[in-house]
């Protein structure tokens, strides 16, 4: 059994639709951020380290806000998503602002992560049950070929907002094995059905309420770093005419690894509810949901102060 497991929080995104750094929007009853609840749930589940993947220019504000609150409770490290680890012989256009994608983000954590780990988005609330199931998987995983990776699977009905579409990976699952992900824009339409529009431009399709979707809550062993690195030159070659916008995405890397027999992906199903601020209009609903979970005792009222008092 693995004693140490790490949570990697991907927080280098632009937050364009929310209009700013939505990762540090205060939403809890005492101005806690969604990241606070993610770290709290990770600690409860048995994670032993948090790695924040951020933009280097945001280090100060993260350290002063999130860092100052969570560092007393768990080992915390910071990584920066920079382009200093791209394959030799390739160049990124100087006017590119957007990060290179989630696979590249994970690769930027290579020197900080030496144990089984999970990745999450900084601005998504995933729910305690998801962390508990993920931690159990990671504590028992064996880093041997074919490498056993995982994904926490959500019911699509638990992951949508009434304020617009959201990006979700619509999954094909056989037994508890992930077979396919269709990255899509998902929303509930006027007649109440849930429709998915593939980002590839393929025809939209209806999604059943209890179908499984990916929320980018993926589980890996350190073997994934070598695989991401190995595929990076081919990614640049394939996108040489689109280097201003292309993204090296972890779902694509995961499925290539599965297709090549390098890895498998187990689906850990959860009935937890997602909450997030995809749009500014989502904020009030998230605040109400968090207040409700404080009221029912899922979380203490003042997340870190109450936790500190209990520790004493």
């Amino acid at each position: 059994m693995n004693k140490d497991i790490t949570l990697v929080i991907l927080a280098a995104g632009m937050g364009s639709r929310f209009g700013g750094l939505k990762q540090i929007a205060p939403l809890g009853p005492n101005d806690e951020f969604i990241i606070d609840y993610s770290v709290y749930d990770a600690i409860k589940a048995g994670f032993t380290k948090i790695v924040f993947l951020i933009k280097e220019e945001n280090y100060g504000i993260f350290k002063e806000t999130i860092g100052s609150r969570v560092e007393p409770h768990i080992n915390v490290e910071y990584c920066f998503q920079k382009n200093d680890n791209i394959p030799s012989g390739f160049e990124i256009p100087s006017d590119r602002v957007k990060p290179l994608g989630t696979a590249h983000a994970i690769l930027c954590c290579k020197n900080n992560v030496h144990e089984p780990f999970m990745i999450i988005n900084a601005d998504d609330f995933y729910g305690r049950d998801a962390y508990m199931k993920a931690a159990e998987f990671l504590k028992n995983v064996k880093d041997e070929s074919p490498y056993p990776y995982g994904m926490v699977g959500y019911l699509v009905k638990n992951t949508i907002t009434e304020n617009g579409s959201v990006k979700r990976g619509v999954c094909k699952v056989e037994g508890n094995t992930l077979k396919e992900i269709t990255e899509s824009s998902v929303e509930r339409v006027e007649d109440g059905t849930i429709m998915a529009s593939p980002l590839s431009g393929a025809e939209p399709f209806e999604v059943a309420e209890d179908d499984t979707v990916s929320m980018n809550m993926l589980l890996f062993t350190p073997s994934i770093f070598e695989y991401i690195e190995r595929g990076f030159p081919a990614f640049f070659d394939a996108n040489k005419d689109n280097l201003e916008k292309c993204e090296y995405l972890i779902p694509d890397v995961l499925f290539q690894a599965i297709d090549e027999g390098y890895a498998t992906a187990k689906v850990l199903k959860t009935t937890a509810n997602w909450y997030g601020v995809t749009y500014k209009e989502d904020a009030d609903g998230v605040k109400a949901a968090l207040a409700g979970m404080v009221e029912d005792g899922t979380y203490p009222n003042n997340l870190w102060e109450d936790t500190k008092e209990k520790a004493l």
Side-chain angles (χ1 to χ4, degrees):
M1 178 182 290
N2 300 294
K3 181 179 178 182
D4 294 324
I5 56 175
T6 289
L7 176 65
V8 174
I9 300 181
L10 305 180
M14 298 294 286
S16 57
R17 281 183 296 182
F18 184 61
L21 274 176
K22 58 183 176 179
Q23 295 92 342
I24 55 171
L27 296 166
N30 290 279
D31 290 339
E32 293 91 351
F33 311 143
I34 283 180
I35 299 178
D36 285 300
Y37 292 95
S38 297
V39 174
Y40 185 89
D41 283 341
I43 293 171
K44 285 284 187 183
F47 284 81
T48 53
K49 184 170 71 176
I50 305 294
V51 173
F52 290 118
L53 188 281
I54 61 177
K55 288 183 177 180
E56 190 169 14
E57 59 264 34
N58 291 339
Y59 173 73
I61 195 167
F62 262 84
K63 182 78 171 174
E64 293 167 13
T65 54
I66 294 293
S68 64
R69 297 208 286 244
V70 306
E71 286 172 6
H73 305 280
I74 190 169
N75 181 22
V76 174
E77 297 180 11
Y78 298 86
C79 295
F80 305 132
Q81 186 164 9
K82 300 168 66 175
N83 295 333
D84 56 1
N85 60 351
I86 64 172
S88 60
F90 297 95
E91 291 185 4
I92 302 295
S94 58
D95 58 348
R96 176 169 179 145
V97 177
K98 192 173 184 179
L100 267 172
T102 48
H104 175 247
I106 293 170
L107 185 59
C108 291
C109 301
K110 177 182 177 180
N111 293 331
N112 297 77
V113 179
H114 309 286
E115 52 283 315
F117 68 100
M118 177 168 73
I119 67 165
I120 63 168
N121 298 326
D123 48 1
D124 287 318
F125 177 94
Y126 290 92
R128 180 82 48 80
D129 179 66
Y131 291 91
M132 301 299 289
K133 288 176 176 172
E136 181 182 7
F137 175 87
L138 291 173
K139 288 176 182 177
N140 291 283
V141 74
K142 295 181 179 179
D143 201 10
E144 55 189 33
S145 180
Y147 297 105
Y149 301 152
M151 182 203 83
V152 177
Y154 283 73
L155 304 179
V156 65
K157 66 182 179 184
N158 292 340
T159 73
I160 52 181
T161 170
E162 61 184 22
N163 295 309
S165 62
V166 290
K167 288 183 181 179
R168 300 289 180 257
V170 181
C171 302
K172 179 180 179 182
V173 182
E174 294 180 5
N176 63 357
T177 302
L178 182 63
K179 293 295 184 181
E180 186 179 339
I181 292 181
T182 302
E183 295 293 337
S184 304
S185 178
V186 176
E187 65 181 322
R188 192 181 294 279
V189 295
E190 288 184 4
D191 66 0
T193 59
I194 301 173
M195 296 297 296
S197 299
L199 300 184
S200 66
E203 283 294 310
F205 59 94
E206 184 175 342
V207 183
E209 299 274 332
D210 290 344
D211 279 357
T212 301
V213 294
S214 167
M215 290 290 306
N216 211 32
M217 198 176 206
L218 302 173
L219 302 92
F220 298 104
T221 65
S223 57
I224 191 64
F225 296 122
E226 177 190 350
Y227 192 82
I228 293 172
E229 231 165 9
R230 189 192 310 169
F232 220 170
F235 165 80
F236 274 97
D237 282 333
N239 291 278
K240 58 187 176 182
D241 297 325
N242 188 33
L243 291 177
E244 292 84 4
K245 296 182 179 180
C246 63
E247 292 186 73
Y248 194 26
L249 299 174
I250 193 60
D252 297 338
V253 172
L254 174 60
F255 273 96
Q256 186 173 346
I258 293 170
D259 288 343
E260 294 180 358
Y262 183 86
T264 59
K266 182 177 182 180
V267 177
L268 313 175
K269 293 188 177 181
T270 181
T271 56
N273 285 298
W274 163 86
Y275 298 101
V277 184
T278 305
Y279 305 94
K280 286 184 177 181
E281 294 81 3
D282 293 330
D284 287 343
V286 177
K287 289 178 181 178
L290 292 173
M293 285 182 273
V294 168
E295 189 174 339
D296 69 18
T298 303
Y299 299 103
N301 178 57
N302 195 320
L303 201 61
W304 299 117
E305 286 301 313
D306 291 356
T307 302
K308 189 185 300 182
E309 288 173 8
K310 288 181 181 179
L312 295 174

